[in-house]
Amino acid sequence: MPVENPDVVVIGAGAAGAALTWRLSEHGAKVVCLEQGDWVNPIDYPSQYSDFEARMLRGGDFSLSPNVRRRPEDYPVSVANNGGFRPSISMFNAVGGTTIHWQAHFPRFHPSDFRVKSLDGVADDWPLTYQDLEPYYNLNDRMMGVSGLHGDPANPPRIPRATPPLPVGRYGDTLIRGYEKMGWHWWVADQAIISRAYDGRPPCLLHGKCMYGCPIGSKASTDRTYWPKALANGAILETWARSREVMVDSRGRVRGVLYYDRDGILQEQPGKIVVVCCNGVGTPRLLLNSKSRYFPDGLANSNGMVGRNFMVHPTRFVEGIFRETLDGHIGPFGAPLYSQEFYETDLSRGFVRGYTMVSGRTYGPLAHSRQVPWGANHHLEMARHFPHTAGIAALCEDLPNENNRIDLDPDLTDSHGIPAPRVTYTLGDNTTQMLEHGAARATEVLKAAGATEVRDARGNANMAHLMGTARMGIDPRRSVVNPANQAHDVGNLFIVDGSSFVTSAGVNPTSTIGALALRAADGIWERRGEWN
Amino acid sequence: MPTKKKWTRRSFIESTFVTSVTSRAGLATVSSVVPAVGRSQEELPELPGFDQTQRLDFISMLDEIIPAADGMPAASEVDVDRYVATLFTQDQGLIEAFESGLDFLREKATERHGQSFSDLNSDQRIELLEQLEATDPASFRKVRGAVYEGYYTRPQIWHLVGYQPHPTNSEGPVMEPFDENSLERVRRLPKLYRDV
């Protein structure tokens, strides 16, 4: 049921929505959050069962793709086939959002990531700096609980991590050997997985099934970090509430949200402020579906920029097979270590900007078996692969391109008949060069580490990072929100998630999404005099 | 040719239930070992809609995809057949992939060797499976995926391949704490990020 007279209506209960709701509720705002999914009971996590890999990999109910998973709370996403690389779209729709099954990498942007135009002459500068965001990175770190080690020469100094680094195991030691032989940078990763008890949550037990759901809550997912605190502050979370459109009043200001409740009944939730936190695909979809007399092309879209500049972090996975027995299938799934040797721009490499080499751990035997032929040699080949592989992913910065976009599919709808998003994406030349460079450097590291065979595991792929489709900027002609995440077109509408990213950087985005959400919440609260 | 019924998920579930009840009530036929797959009739998986030949071929197919070798059991020895039968209740497309694959194998085995697929020797079976893979790669990929899934979700296989499952209620593996001394060289590197 709609809540009477809330100050702020937040749409989406994932990384951004949770952080923003908590911060506003700390200040004393009356907040209601609409979430199309439900709470996920940890007893339902695949990690608890022997078919855990199948439930993610084969297309079960924990698949990364909503198109495969097809839970009632999911919506379909179409991807236009333009003959080239087609990004896979991953997300999870629930309280906690995609943090339910993320790997919990927790790097930060570099200062240069906010100044790409000034420094490298490409894309656009962010209208804020690393220093503007730093206090919110720190606050978000404290709220989520981070393991790691400060002192990395590739990153600005930061406050000590809440808990020490997680073990890297034989798997990590092997990769370290490679980086050391090459004389390249590496560092033990910041992870939103605690290595010691922290804030009422137990330390990681190293089971190695983080992506299949962490039932004990050592991995930070916002249903375990922000939401209990937000609810204790009085925030209201309405689950099974699928937003259809954001409504505007006769002055063109947002007046509330039209949503289907758990019984499928259309409700209107009024609010003085509406904050859209539906990820880089869901947010433009909702805005484009919110058409009115004032906004015939979609809410906050007077300049046609909503949905444009979609970015995904193209990635190349390179895998090495080693003689020694490794332990990639135990320990925290996220990267034990990373290298930013090739992060900052060096034009002699043939491209601008850069990438992180992420050394995530490996899946279990079922995932490994997929690369192994059937028949007489099956067991020998399997024994050669498992547990003997280590991999490196070159996670590349994706530069914004207005033609890479989300719009509405003319035919496809969700179970409520709401038009589905459609992705159109072309891999840029700069990114292609970067991917090749990353694959070659990853190969060198793995060989230096002692791999007997190195293979480019999957060709070009992409991460589950959905960014750029309601970009931030000072110029209302070229951006959707201002530096406070406030829509240029509508004063009481805010957009806070990966869609507000101006550029993607070459690192995982979630810590930056959380920091932006906390900062936006403070801005909304500071201007509470303008709410009515 | 034996008649073959096309199964929907609903009819499959209903039929499985009937077969299961009948079997538990002691109404199964008299036991006899089927040499081709080394099992008694009652031990063959309950695959409603699959005739006897198809059930035998089904087992043989699984055991050529993952055979007993190098100290590892064949697929059917760890009940992959029953696992796949369970998947049939969830995935109509998988039933169709197996049905079309088994039809192909039966037809080719009869045509070339005058025998059922399960009565062929291993080399002959592999040759036909390779043909199936080349002729209908999408269906074969689905079949192969289901067999692998049934095999590598078996705890007894985990043990044999060196996978440590560490269930949620266990303490987990012992791993050495990260050795910060390993970063000695990297700590001495000049600053790698750009000041703005």
Side-chain angles (χ1 to χ4, degrees):
Chain A
M1 289 293 290
V3 176
E4 281 188 33
N5 301 317
D7 296 319
V8 181
V9 181
V10 177
I11 307 172
L20 184 127
T21 300
W22 167 76
R23 188 65 169 172
L24 282 169
S25 67
E26 282 281 291
H27 286 310
K30 184 177 180 182
V31 188
V32 57
C33 178
L34 305 176
E35 165 55 48
Q36 65 190 327
D38 198 2
W39 293 88
V40 183
N41 188 337
I43 197 72
D44 294 328
Y45 284 158
S47 53
Q48 307 259 38
Y49 306 94
S50 63
D51 64 348
F52 65 95
E53 285 196 280
R55 284 178 63 187
M56 179 177 286
L57 299 174
R58 179 171 58 86
D61 61 350
F62 222 69
S63 167
L64 303 177
S65 166
N67 292 342
V68 176
R69 204 168 52 231
R70 300 176 73 173
R71 290 174 176 234
E73 60 270 39
D74 289 321
Y75 57 87
V77 182
S78 67
V79 180
N81 185 356
N82 54 14
F85 170 71
R86 299 175 73 191
S88 59
I89 305 300
S90 302
M91 65 177 77
F92 202 74
N93 296 309
V95 179
T98 306
T99 64
I100 295 290
H101 69 180
W102 69 325
Q103 296 185 352
H105 296 284
F106 220 59
R108 296 181 181 185
F109 278 28
H110 285 203
S112 64
D113 290 324
F114 297 90
R115 287 291 175 272
V116 297
K117 181 75 169 177
S118 302
L119 292 172
D120 299 320
V122 293
D124 286 292
D125 289 345
W126 287 58
L128 50 81
T129 66
Y130 178 85
Q131 287 71 25
D132 292 331
L133 215 48
E134 187 174 20
Y136 295 101
Y137 272 129
N138 292 341
L139 175 57
N140 192 42
D141 285 356
R142 285 199 296 275
M143 291 299 294
M144 295 288 273
V146 179
S147 65
L149 192 66
H150 66 291
D152 176 8
N155 280 273
R158 61 187 61 167
I159 58 172
R161 313 289 71 200
T163 67
L166 288 154
V168 300
R170 290 195 299 276
Y171 182 93
D173 288 339
T174 302
L175 292 168
I176 289 169
R177 191 167 67 215
Y179 285 118
E180 285 293 308
K181 276 190 183 170
M182 299 303 295
W184 289 350
H185 167 267
W186 67 273
W187 199 260
V188 61
D190 275 3
Q191 301 186 62
I193 302 172
I194 45 180
S195 58
R196 291 185 184 160
Y198 179 80
D199 197 21
R201 291 157 48 209
C204 174
L205 294 177
L206 310 171
H207 288 155
K209 302 192 186 80
C210 313
M211 277 185 84
Y212 310 101
C214 177
I216 63 173
S218 305
K219 183 183 86 169
S221 49
T222 58
D223 60 326
R224 304 290 273 268
T225 56
Y226 280 109
W227 274 114
K229 292 180 169 65
L231 296 177
N233 286 342
I236 297 165
L237 175 56
E238 189 79 13
T239 57
W240 294 111
R242 170 170 278 163
S243 298
R244 194 181 86 176
E245 63 180 282
V246 181
M247 310 291 287
V248 294
D249 63 18
S250 56
R251 297 176 296 162
R253 283 173 60 86
V254 163
R255 73 161 197 258
V257 180
L258 210 55
Y259 71 96
Y260 291 99
D261 69 13
R262 64 182 60 230
D263 298 318
I265 298 168
L266 203 56
Q267 305 276 8
E268 183 172 345
Q269 174 60 62
K272 299 167 189 165
I273 299 285
V274 170
V275 189
V276 183
C277 305
C278 304
N279 78 47
V281 169
T283 286
R285 177 204 185 201
L286 179 62
L287 296 174
L288 294 172
N289 273 316
S290 301
K291 292 175 179 160
S292 62
R293 181 164 58 90
Y294 284 97
F295 302 102
D297 298 321
L299 189 59
N301 193 31
S302 63
N303 57 11
M305 293 300 289
V306 168
R308 294 192 178 274
N309 298 295
F310 181 52
M311 300 176 285
V312 292
H313 280 148
T315 301
R316 196 73 162 266
F317 292 90
V318 182
E319 182 182 86
I321 300 177
F322 294 78
R323 284 203 180 86
E324 63 255 53
T325 299
L326 301 181
D327 56 1
H329 59 284
I330 58 170
F333 204 106
L337 51 100
Y338 62 90
S339 171
Q340 293 189 328
E341 180 73 21
F342 306 102
Y343 194 88
E344 299 284 355
T345 293
D346 177 347
L347 292 176
S348 69
R349 296 175 193 143
F351 54 87
V352 69
R353 309 296 301 159
Y355 58 90
T356 300
M357 289 199 279
V358 183
S359 305
R361 302 185 83 86
T362 61
Y363 290 91
L366 177 58
H368 281 266
S369 72
R370 291 180 156 198
Q371 306 161 37
V372 175
W374 62 273
N377 291 325
H378 177 82
H379 298 298
L380 286 178
E381 274 299 303
M382 185 66 182
R384 204 167 69 82
H385 277 81
F386 188 86
H388 300 284
T389 57
I392 293 175
L395 185 158
C396 297
E397 173 157 358
D398 198 7
L399 291 173
N401 172 349
E402 288 189 6
N403 295 319
N404 289 343
R405 64 184 298 195
I406 308 297
D407 64 358
L408 299 178
D409 191 293
D411 305 313
L412 196 62
T413 61
D414 67 17
S415 57
H416 287 93
I418 305 171
R422 176 175 64 180
V423 176
T424 303
Y425 183 90
T426 302
L427 203 58
D429 292 341
N430 189 72
T431 316
T432 303
Q433 294 289 326
M434 204 185 300
L435 286 162
E436 293 302 321
H437 190 273
R441 300 295 85 75
T443 300
E444 288 176 26
V445 176
L446 291 166
K447 284 183 175 170
T452 56
E453 180 185 332
V454 177
R455 47 189 227 109
D456 201 336
R458 289 181 242 165
N460 293 332
N462 64 282
M463 294 287 184
H465 307 157
L466 313 172
M467 301 165 286
T469 49
R471 69 198 319 236
M472 180 185 284
I474 294 169
D475 184 351
R477 294 167 302 178
R478 301 192 60 246
S479 55
V480 179
V481 297
N482 67 21
N485 288 85
Q486 182 180 28
H488 290 302
D489 285 352
V490 192
N492 61 341
L493 174 70
F494 290 77
I495 298 164
V496 185
D497 53 28
S499 62
S500 65
F501 281 24
V502 182
T503 56
S504 67
V507 291
N508 307 60
T510 307
S511 73
T512 302
I513 290 172
L516 278 173
L518 295 170
R519 180 175 176 276
D522 279 1
I524 292 169
W525 179 253
E526 283 163 13
R527 286 184 294 279
R528 59 191 176 281
E530 303 167 15
W531 286 0
N532 289 305
Chain B
M1 287 287 289
T3 56
K4 183 163 66 68
K5 179 180 176 181
K6 288 288 178 190
W7 287 88
T8 62
R9 182 176 170 186
R10 175 185 290 273
S11 65
F12 184 89
I13 293 168
E14 288 170 351
S15 184
T16 301
F17 176 75
V18 171
T19 309
S20 174
V21 169
T22 308
S23 180
R24 280 200 295 273
L27 301 176
T29 55
V30 177
S31 172
S32 64
V33 173
V34 182
V37 296
R39 284 190 183 189
S40 69
Q41 298 275 10
E42 293 74 38
E43 288 172 328
L44 293 177
E46 293 166 354
L47 297 168
F50 283 44
D51 60 34
Q52 174 75 354
T53 306
Q54 282 177 307
R55 290 164 76 193
L56 294 172
D57 289 353
F58 174 73
I59 298 283
S60 300
M61 183 189 202
L62 267 49
D63 288 350
E64 290 299 349
I65 291 173
I66 300 186
D70 308 305
M72 298 293 292
S76 70
E77 291 179 90
V78 289
D79 289 338
V80 172
D81 47 340
R82 288 184 175 83
Y83 185 93
V84 173
T86 305
L87 293 183
F88 284 172
T89 65
Q90 305 163 18
D91 188 345
Q92 176 68 24
L94 186 63
I95 299 177
E96 288 162 6
F98 269 94
E99 279 184 338
S100 69
L102 290 168
D103 283 351
F104 178 92
L105 296 174
R106 179 187 348 222
E107 186 184 319
K108 296 295 178 193
T110 306
E111 184 181 296
R112 299 214 188 140
H113 306 287
Q115 291 179 294
S116 68
F117 179 73
S118 62
D119 286 329
L120 302 181
N121 66 40
S122 184
D123 288 344
Q124 291 168 328
R125 290 179 192 164
I126 289 170
E127 186 186 351
L128 293 188
L129 281 168
E130 286 171 346
Q131 280 185 26
L132 171 62
E133 185 177 24
T135 305
D136 187 358
S139 291
F140 189 82
R141 201 160 43 242
K142 210 163 169 57
V143 166
R144 191 191 90 144
V147 178
Y148 281 18
E149 181 182 321
Y151 198 75
Y152 289 106
T153 53
R154 282 285 180 272
Q156 59 264 51
I157 297 302
W158 291 349
H159 175 71
L160 291 170
V161 298
Y163 175 65
Q164 305 167 37
H166 297 294
T168 295
N169 56 0
S170 71
E171 286 190 357
V174 175
M175 296 176 79
E176 293 295 319
F178 175 68
D179 178 10
E180 293 188 22
N181 293 323
S182 60
L183 280 165
E184 189 183 337
R185 178 191 62 82
V186 182
R187 282 185 194 281
R188 293 198 306 269
L189 291 174
K191 187 180 71 177
L192 295 172
Y193 65 93
R194 286 184 284 179
D195 274 324
V196 175

